[in-house]
Amino acid sequence: MIPIPETIYTVLKDTFKSNDFEQSVHTIHDKRFHFTYCKAIVDQELIHHELLHHIQISEAEINTLHALKNMIPLEKITLSSNLEEISQSLIKGFIYVQMEPDLNEGLLIHIADLKRGYRSNNEADNEYSVIGPKVGFVEDIDTNLNLLRKEIISDKLMFEEHIIGSLSQTRVIIVYLDGVCNPQHINTVRQRLLDLDFDVIFDSSVLDQIIADNANSPFPLFMSSERVDRTKFNLLNGQVAILSSGSPYVISGPTTVFDFFLSPEDYYLPWVLGSFFRCIRYLGVAFSILASPFYVAVLTFHYSVIPQSLLAPIIESRTNVPFAPIIEVLLLELTVEMLREAGSRLPTKVGQTLGIVGGIVLGEAAVQAALTSNILIIIVSLSALSSFATPIFKMANTIRFLRFPLMGLAAAWGGLGIMIGLVILLGHLLRLKSLGTPYIVPMFPFRFRDFTDSFIRSSLSLTFNRPRFLRPLSIKRYKVKKNNDISNDYNNE
């Protein structure tokens, strides 16, 4: 191979270390052309059909870059030798074309794929939000890289590709922001992926379970999302994202338990409204976990805590029910779970009909047959409704599961059993870690400055720092400046 001198071509090769940047050499009509571009964001068909094809079929002699520029049927072609301009253009979808022997100058040609990824079938249906972008990831990993490149226009966005799976040979890409993400998190993810000895990677959720710090926990230790804006937010905070070919979900970490109750709408609404709705979610989770166990504990052990005004309705509703409270609750809870599972497996319209009709018919029939009480149907319905307030599906599944062991403890020891279950749950959360980061930080270890975006969403004037528990290399996300509004000057006059 002919050695390439120290030129812009070699400087670009040393500058862009991300695996999605490509450099190639083509010999056409005894001329050597050097191409530099980002595979994730350019249109490969334009390179082959418009660029290479027209150079190959050209009968005119191409001796200069100006001659090459005049014969290429594409717009946005500029001659440049400015390294900063070239670097910024490459990550926006340009290709840099050079001709030997002069490799200190070249043509910047815009060949970005502007349509890929923005289709009618890649909306984030499972993480829907009324306000904000609706674009989600798809099964094509190159499309997902394209979407990320369009959202984060920076040469600091790094893609590191690995092949995982002895049979599937699945492309797995680690994504992070260089200079922001802590190298320890990157090295941990890289090492856990390289240590895998797995045959087939079906989905990124498989990677989630394999590389998690604790595979026996019901709590998700990695954020799994199909939304582009949520993944972008995680990367900007200093987290590591993992993409897998064939999966529309991107997992990112390290995460805390509070991350799973954040919704993108919290940041698209005024901070007062965002904080209010976030608190509603926390209250909904608490009600969803504790409502049914509390019903079992009260009716089994603690009759004295029932207010006198409620005693008569409860006695009347349970007069003809032949089951103990725990059997009654389990029967109804399992029925709701079966309806939910059946509805999610059926086509959308049929599933919605089954959920509505099945819930009404079965609930009414159960009350008429004296198999359950009216009050319990209300509690179980509200409990199921509250579990849907969780934005992330994996955490919603965990909340649904936690009710059942707590109901068993409530049936065995009443309120004491619920307290024992909550203490065990808290102890488990205290021991959990995500990529070595405590799972319930900033509560433990206590980090007062990170409370600005945990239980509530504070004003943007207070959230300019990245979460400190992620140990980012750059702590500042943006700078807060005092507004010198022209209206203030007018009022002062």
Side-chain angles (χ1 to χ4, degrees):
M1 177 180 286
I2 301 176
I4 300 175
E6 287 294 330
T7 59
I8 288 181
Y9 184 82
T10 55
V11 172
L12 290 173
K13 184 176 181 179
D14 296 333
T15 302
F16 295 102
K17 300 184 183 299
S18 183
N19 291 145
D20 65 322
F21 280 90
E22 181 78 13
Q23 286 189 308
S24 59
V25 180
H26 300 269
T27 303
I28 305 173
H29 301 317
D30 298 328
K31 295 286 185 180
R32 288 169 61 88
F33 295 87
H34 296 253
F35 291 175
T36 305
Y37 58 93
C38 176
K39 294 187 295 183
I41 199 170
V42 301
D43 189 339
Q44 299 280 355
E45 292 188 359
L46 285 179
I47 297 178
H48 295 288
H49 296 163
E50 300 295 339
L51 187 56
L52 282 173
H53 179 68
H54 280 83
I55 296 177
Q56 291 170 347
I57 66 174
S58 174
E59 297 180 355
E61 189 173 358
I62 305 175
N63 293 321
T64 64
L65 291 173
H66 290 284
L68 178 62
K69 177 181 178 181
N70 293 330
M71 61 152 298
I72 297 176
L74 295 173
E75 298 180 353
K76 294 185 179 179
I77 303 178
T78 58
L79 189 68
S80 178
S81 59
N82 187 301
L83 185 60
E84 183 177 355
E85 180 187 5
I86 297 169
S87 301
Q88 290 297 318
S89 298
L90 286 176
I91 58 180
K92 293 180 180 179
F94 283 77
I95 185 172
Y96 192 55
V97 182
Q98 298 168 284
M99 291 176 53
E100 290 190 5
D102 185 9
L103 294 180
N104 284 313
E105 194 173 33
L107 291 179
L108 283 171
I109 307 172
H110 188 258
I111 56 169
D113 192 344
L114 301 177
K115 295 182 179 179
R116 186 172 64 178
Y118 291 94
R119 305 190 308 273
S120 59
N121 62 340
N122 72 327
E123 294 185 358
D125 294 330
N126 295 325
E127 297 178 62
Y128 182 79
S129 63
V130 178
I131 304 175
K134 308 293 189 297
V135 179
F137 293 110
V138 294
E139 286 75 9
D140 181 30
I141 194 169
D142 291 320
T143 299
N144 297 337
L145 298 180
N146 177 279
L147 292 172
L148 287 176
R149 277 289 178 200
K150 288 177 181 177
E151 293 294 326
I152 305 178
I153 305 177
S154 171
D155 58 354
K156 301 298 183 182
L157 181 63
M158 306 298 292
F159 296 156
E160 182 179 314
E161 183 171 337
H162 300 278
I163 304 298
I164 309 295
S166 58
L167 296 179
S168 63
Q169 294 291 299
T170 304
R171 293 174 61 195
V172 176
I173 297 182
I174 303 173
V175 184
Y176 59 92
L177 277 177
D178 190 27
V180 175
C181 183
N182 193 301
Q184 182 178 345
H185 301 322
I186 304 169
N187 295 332
T188 302
V189 171
R190 182 189 299 121
Q191 188 61 45
R192 292 182 183 181
L193 289 177
L194 294 178
D195 288 344
L196 288 182
D197 186 10
F198 216 71
D199 52 357
V200 177
I201 305 297
F202 294 99
D203 188 80
S204 59
S205 300
V206 177
L207 294 174
D208 185 343
Q209 299 175 55
I210 297 175
I211 68 175
D213 297 59
N214 187 345
N216 298 319
S217 174
F219 288 89
L221 300 180
F222 284 90
M223 174 70 68
S224 179
S225 177
E226 63 175 346
R227 292 183 63 105
V228 176
D229 57 345
R230 186 187 288 275
T231 302
K232 178 174 68 172
F233 176 77
N234 293 338
L235 289 172
L236 293 174
N237 275 343
Q239 294 178 327
V240 184
I242 305 173
L243 290 81
S244 174
S245 60
S247 174
Y249 285 88
V250 175
I251 60 174
S252 55
T255 57
T256 68
V257 68
F258 302 105
D259 292 337
F260 295 92
F261 300 101
L262 309 186
S263 171
E265 285 187 333
D266 295 347
Y267 303 94
Y268 302 142
L269 294 171
W271 72 269
V272 176
L273 296 179
S275 300
F276 173 74
F277 293 130
R278 188 176 295 182
C279 292
I280 291 294
R281 289 187 213 111
Y282 288 121
L283 292 175
V285 169
F287 183 87
S288 179
I289 294 176
L290 298 174
S292 296
F294 186 75
Y295 176 87
V296 173
V298 168
L299 293 187
T300 306
F301 293 97
H302 310 293
Y303 307 103
S304 58
V305 302
I306 302 176
Q308 188 173 2
S309 58
L310 287 178
L311 193 58
I314 292 177
I315 293 175
E316 183 180 352
S317 66
R318 282 192 48 83
T319 300
N320 299 318
V321 177
F323 304 117
I326 181 61
I327 303 299
E328 180 190 8
V329 172
L330 283 175
L331 180 65
L332 205 55
E333 287 281 3
L334 290 174
T335 302
V336 171
E337 293 302 323
M338 284 189 287
L339 280 173
R340 190 183 338 223
E341 283 297 307
S344 63
R345 300 293 177 266
L346 292 171
T348 304
K349 294 182 179 179
V350 179
Q352 292 175 351
T353 305
L354 175 67
I356 297 172
V357 176
I360 295 174
V361 172
L362 288 178
E364 183 66 23
V367 172
Q368 292 295 330
L371 297 179
T372 185
S373 64
N374 292 321
I375 294 178
L376 180 59
I377 287 184
I378 296 174
I379 292 176
V380 171
S381 300
L382 290 176
S383 180
L385 184 64
S386 300
S387 66
F388 287 114
T390 308
I392 303 299
F393 181 72
K394 286 188 175 181
M395 182 57 75
N397 289 340
T398 301
I399 293 168
R400 290 161 55 187
F401 166 77
L402 291 177
R403 291 201 296 264
F404 290 94
L406 285 177
M407 284 189 293
L409 291 171
W413 297 298
L416 177 62
I418 295 177
M419 294 303 299
I420 292 173
L422 292 178
V423 169
I424 294 174
L425 178 62
L426 180 60
H428 177 68
L429 290 173
L430 288 171
R431 296 186 56 174
L432 283 182
K433 291 184 178 181
S434 175
L435 294 181
T437 301
Y439 195 55
I440 61 171
V441 68
M443 287 186 60
F444 179 84
F446 186 77
R447 297 288 186 269
F448 176 76
R449 286 179 291 186
D450 289 330
F451 272 92
T452 55
D453 196 13
S454 55
F455 288 103
I456 63 171
R457 194 226 109 181
S458 300
S459 170
L460 292 176
S461 61
L462 300 177
T463 57
F464 49 84
N465 284 336
R466 294 183 171 91
R468 296 178 183 271
F469 60 82
L470 293 175
R471 291 171 292 164
L473 300 183
S474 175
I475 194 66
K476 293 286 184 182
R477 285 200 299 156
Y478 54 87
K479 294 182 180 180
V480 178
K481 295 182 179 180
K482 185 178 179 181
N483 290 330
N484 293 321
D485 201 324
I486 189 171
S487 61
N488 294 333
D489 298 336
Y490 178 80
N491 293 330
N492 291 334
E493 292 179 2

